[in-house]
Amino acid sequence: MSTHDGQGYWAANIRLVTWLLVVWAICSYGFGILLRDALDAMVPFGGVGLGFWFAQQGSIFVFLALIAIYAKKMAQIDADFGVRED
Amino acid sequence: MDLTTLTYIFVGGSFALYFGIAIWAKAGTTGEFYAAGRGVHPVANGMATAADWMSAASFISMAGLISFMGYDASIFLMGWTGGYVLLALLLAPYLRKFGKYTVPEFVGDRFYSTSARVTAVVCLIVASVTYVIGQVKGIGVAFSRFLEVDFVTGLWIGMAIVAVYAILGGMKGVTYTQIAQYCVLISAYTVPAVFISLNLTGTPVPQVGLFSGTEDGTPMLAKLNQVITDLGFAEYTAQKGGTMNIIFYTFSLMIGTAGLPHVIIRFFTVPKVRDARASAGWALVFIALLYTTAPAVGAMARLNLMNAIQTGEVGSPDGNLAYAERPDWFKNWEATGLLKFEDKNGDGKIQYYNDKNKEFAAKAEAWGWKGNEMVKVDRDIMVLANPEVAQLPNWVIALVAAGGLAAALSTAAGLLLAISSAVSHDLLKSTFMPEISEKQELMAARIAMAAAILLAGYLGMNPPGFAAQTVALAFGLAASSIFPVLMMGIFSKKMNNKGAIAGMTTGIVSTLVYIFTYKGWFFIPGTNMLANTPANHLFGISPEAFGTVGAILNFAVAFIVMNMTEPVPEEIEHMVEDIRIPKGAGAAQDH
């Protein structure tokens, strides 16, 4: 494999990971902590609201989705750049 | 059948299962002992990782912590799950591609330095030993409570069981017992939760029940807030700690999770790089089952407990439970010392309220209350007493016993494996006695395991200082030392040996010093230089949250030193390029 391919593969990987980590940070530190009160006021339910839900349940579900998306997208990127394992 | 017999059947049955697996999964090579021959299915590895990860603390103590901390306990919920995203996206696939057996081995090869490797071994041992002390204590407590033996006997029974399958089977034996242990612990956790949620909210799914209404239509959490604020406690769903500390604490747990060696080495056991990615996802699926149930258990158990004691209107003479009429579970847990009542005003009734809330205490005094009479409510009973409070059948209580023991055993075994393989593989085989044969190394690994078990048992009996709180600190230590060095090893081609060593040393030393400043040197009480209160903390950051700062210092020092010293050799840059590409990960790389 040429170095050029390697760089392209790595750049695609970094792009994907960056986006996923942005979502990761927004859902946990954003929705669950910093914006918690605002979200609770905006979408109240269950005696509290969306902010509390994100802090104790929602962020965990988002984490699960992020890893699933990562595994799936990376498999695609592996194939696109011809670096997939046999 | 009576409870004791049922407990022995459930616990005995689960132990027989673990022993059976130990004999079946005996390790014949170092590859099997360190990495289970790299033939573990990603879903199976995910399950084993979940058991490895969820300790007695997660199983027994976490719901109780949530019960009393309310919203602030989100630190643990997000911190201990969010780390898996970092592990999956940033570390696991690359370390699997590297294809060796231990974390220090990666550090040593990537930073072309035996000193870097030994520094990593020291960091690994400091973090893992800190962690294992808490686990061994947990084993002692769990065994003594469930099998009705004393703490020391319980501790050594537990260690003997771990010894059988960990020494025989190494990673292979540990992996397959952890899968069995996961099944036991998750059913033990969810079955009572389902019943409690049904009783309180009418829905069998605890995650939904947490946000549902109770019989009279008021949301469960609103009712809980009402009940506890009526008694002078802080609102359950309100934030109590400083935002800065919450963020730093959560981040420290997240990067600590990603940097804990006993979790990382689990990803060396799967066949391929893409399996490592998927396996981290599966691990989180299995962990999330417990972690999303825990907040429901915490809130519901708190409400049940408060309602059991404050039976009527607050302040009215017959609003409180009479001590003579207390239910059986109350008596049972009083006998263990986890609940303690003291009739301060001599009225024969139980007043459980927050007497530290001055405004409320004044009101309470007018009613003839003379202080909080529940002088001890151990947070662990929130899980342990759950089935009894909810009046579930005896087999559920027996199942919870087997589950608690499974959780304690699985984590201790995983940690002991990380410690012993660092000793036999990194110190002995690669540094001090490279001439030993594979057979001799396998024997050395078994001896190292036996020694680690004896040492851990000894430390569990005589913990240096206060060991219960050391679990959270272990994350800070891993966060400040191991996570940054792995990140730089993968994501920076330029990071050199001197930078890595300086960074690791700075990270772990600064974090240790900060912890010791507030908790006492080597946790010896009375030797702390400052009182452990938020007012004394640097920028309000507690010792448990300092791992984040340690990690930042680690990165900063590493980059400064790197720029002042000679650059990395070219072959190392090629090695990093190779790690970044999945192709060619080889099923088993013996060396």
Side-chain angles (χ1 to χ4, degrees):
Chain A
M1 201 187 65
S2 73
T3 331
H4 181 74
D5 274 344
Q7 281 168 359
Y9 173 76
W10 189 243
N13 176 359
I14 295 290
R15 231 180 356 257
L16 173 65
V17 168
T18 309
W19 274 113
L20 293 173
L21 287 182
V22 167
V23 177
W24 168 84
I26 290 175
C27 289
S28 49
Y29 298 97
F31 295 164
I33 300 174
L34 292 168
L35 304 172
R36 186 237 157 162
D37 290 332
L39 276 185
D40 275 359
M42 224 172 348
V43 193
F45 71 95
V48 266
L50 196 60
F52 186 85
W53 181 80
F54 261 105
Q56 300 221 326
Q57 303 270 310
S59 52
I60 301 177
F61 296 129
V62 173
F63 297 156
L64 278 174
L66 290 175
I67 300 181
I69 294 168
Y70 170 74
K72 205 167 171 312
K73 290 252 177 194
M74 276 311 280
Q76 187 57 47
I77 294 175
D78 286 354
D80 288 351
F81 285 87
V83 295
R84 194 183 144 85
E85 304 151 275
D86 312 309
Chain B
M1 235 184 292
D2 73 328
L3 181 59
T4 319
T5 323
L6 273 170
T7 305
Y8 279 110
I9 293 175
F10 271 75
V11 171
S14 63
F15 288 175
L17 180 66
Y18 308 152
F19 286 145
I21 293 169
I23 293 160
W24 168 71
K26 190 173 181 297
T29 63
T30 48
E32 288 185 343
F33 196 91
Y34 294 134
R38 303 204 198 279
V40 182
H41 190 274
V43 179
N45 183 55
M47 213 178 257
T49 309
D52 197 21
W53 172 245
M54 293 189 289
S55 55
S58 288
F59 187 89
I60 300 174
S61 306
M62 195 175 63
L65 267 175
I66 301 170
S67 257
F68 292 104
M69 291 174 70
Y71 167 79
D72 287 26
S74 310
I75 292 170
F76 305 113
L77 295 166
M78 291 192 286
W80 282 333
T81 54
Y84 277 85
V85 178
L86 301 178
L87 194 60
L89 273 55
L90 303 175
L91 300 180
Y94 308 108
L95 295 174
R96 171 62 193 89
K97 172 64 197 299
F98 183 66
K100 297 291 175 66
Y101 292 139
T102 67
V103 172
E105 192 170 16
F106 170 78
V107 175
D109 288 4
R110 163 62 183 83
F111 296 107
Y112 47 99
S113 149
T114 311
S115 322
R117 187 169 184 167
V118 174
T119 313
V121 172
V122 172
C123 294
L124 178 149
I125 289 180
V126 171
S128 299
V129 168
T130 312
Y131 201 167
V132 87
I133 294 170
Q135 296 311 312
V136 173
K137 266 197 81 181
I139 288 184
V141 172
F143 274 72
S144 62
R145 195 168 295 158
F146 294 130
L147 303 181
E148 290 164 26
V149 291
D150 66 281
F151 173 77
V152 175
T153 316
L155 188 154
W156 289 111
I157 297 176
M159 296 315 276
I161 291 166
V162 173
V164 171
Y165 64 80
I167 294 175
L168 261 183
M171 181 58 111
K172 199 174 164 199
V174 169
T175 300
Y176 292 105
T177 38
Q178 280 174 338
I179 292 170
Q181 284 158 343
Y182 177 78
C183 298
V184 174
L185 82 87
I186 199 68
S187 43
Y189 203 83
T190 44
V191 167
V194 165
F195 282 106
I196 287 175
S197 176
L198 259 179
N199 283 348
L200 216 53
T201 65
T203 155
V205 185
Q207 288 83 346
V208 177
L210 179 61
F211 294 91
S212 300
T214 50
E215 265 171 20
D216 60 10
T218 349
M220 206 275 299
L221 284 167
K223 193 168 220 171
L224 176 59
N225 275 337
Q226 185 68 49
V227 167
I228 59 177
T229 46
D230 278 352
L231 289 163
F233 294 101
E235 202 173 65
Y236 187 82
T237 56
Q239 180 183 325
K240 290 133 213 137
T243 305
M244 177 87 158
N245 189 52
I246 290 184
I247 289 177
F248 272 61
Y249 200 154
T250 309
F251 196 72
S252 179
L253 293 182
M254 283 185 180
I255 60 177
T257 297
L260 275 180
H262 74 286
V263 178
I264 294 175
I265 57 172
R266 287 236 46 92
F267 294 92
F268 297 163
T269 68
V270 293
K272 291 191 167 73
V273 172
R274 63 169 180 272
D275 295 330
R277 297 175 190 145
S279 198
W282 282 109
L284 190 56
V285 167
F286 296 121
I287 290 166
L289 263 175
L290 191 145
Y291 271 63
T292 54
T293 306
V297 172
M300 291 175 190
R302 178 89 182 266
L303 184 58
N304 278 337
L305 178 74
M306 301 312 291
N307 280 341
I309 293 172
Q310 188 70 45
T311 51
E313 199 190 323
V314 177
S316 88
D318 43 38
N320 295 75
L321 177 72
Y323 184 65
E325 288 162 23
R326 66 197 189 282
D328 283 338
W329 59 264
F330 197 113
K331 292 177 197 159
N332 292 344
W333 292 100
E334 251 182 322
T336 62
L338 295 187
L339 281 181
K340 209 165 159 210
F341 166 74
E342 203 182 293
D343 198 359
K344 291 182 180 161
N345 62 353
D347 67 349
K349 296 202 162 153
I350 307 173
Q351 280 99 36
Y352 179 31
Y353 67 104
N354 185 8
D355 54 9
K356 293 197 179 62
N357 177 343
K358 288 205 176 70
E359 205 180 309
F360 186 79
K363 250 199 300 187
E365 228 175 286
W367 298 324
W369 295 9
K370 297 213 168 108
N372 173 27
E373 299 183 340
M374 290 303 296
V375 289
K376 182 157 188 199
V377 183
D378 192 292
R379 58 176 194 227
D380 289 356
I381 70 152
M382 290 299 177
V383 165
L384 298 172
N386 235 347
E388 290 162 87
V389 178
Q391 297 175 319
L392 301 182
N394 275 348
W395 67 266
V396 179
I397 305 173
L399 182 63
V400 171
L405 297 175
L409 291 172
S410 58
T411 306
L415 283 161
L416 289 164
L417 193 73
I419 296 170
S420 64
S421 58
V423 170
S424 63
H425 192 62
D426 292 310
L427 291 185
L428 226 55
K429 171 74 184 174
S430 307
T431 309
F432 297 116
M433 295 168 72
E435 71 284 355
I436 55 173
S437 68
E438 152 147 15
K439 245 196 152 131
Q440 285 169 314
E441 189 189 345
L442 183 60
M443 183 46 82
R446 292 202 156 109
I447 294 170
M449 173 63 82
I453 289 172
L454 290 175
L455 174 74
Y458 174 77
L459 289 173
M461 269 166 64
N462 309 291
F466 187 53
Q469 60 188 2
T470 55
V471 172
L473 299 173
F475 288 88
L477 296 171
S480 64
S481 59
I482 298 167
F483 179 78
V485 80
L486 296 179
M487 284 293 289
M488 293 185 290
I490 297 163
F491 290 90
S492 161
K493 280 193 227 173
K494 302 279 174 214
M495 182 49 66
N496 63 6
N497 51 354
K498 299 207 170 80
I501 296 171
M504 270 192 286
T505 314
T506 312
I508 202 152
V509 170
S510 61
T511 308
L512 273 175
V513 168
Y514 194 79
I515 291 171
F516 289 157
T517 305
Y518 296 100
K519 303 259 181 187
W521 292 91
F522 301 96
F523 304 113
I524 297 164
T527 58
N528 55 322
M529 297 183 296
L530 287 167
N532 191 17
T533 55
N536 279 339
H537 294 152
L538 213 57
F539 306 113
I541 297 165
S542 64
E544 289 85 357
F546 196 79
T548 304
V549 181
I552 295 169
L553 292 173
N554 183 331
F555 281 119
V557 168
F559 278 97
I560 292 168
V561 172
M562 175 190 85
N563 282 319
M564 298 188 317
T565 47
E566 63 276 16
V568 280
E570 211 184 315
E571 69 264 23
I572 298 295
E573 291 195 32
H574 291 314
M575 188 179 112
V576 178
E577 279 163 14
D578 185 58
I579 292 169
R580 292 175 176 182
I581 287 161
K583 202 168 185 171
Q589 293 196 357
D590 288 318
H591 32 195

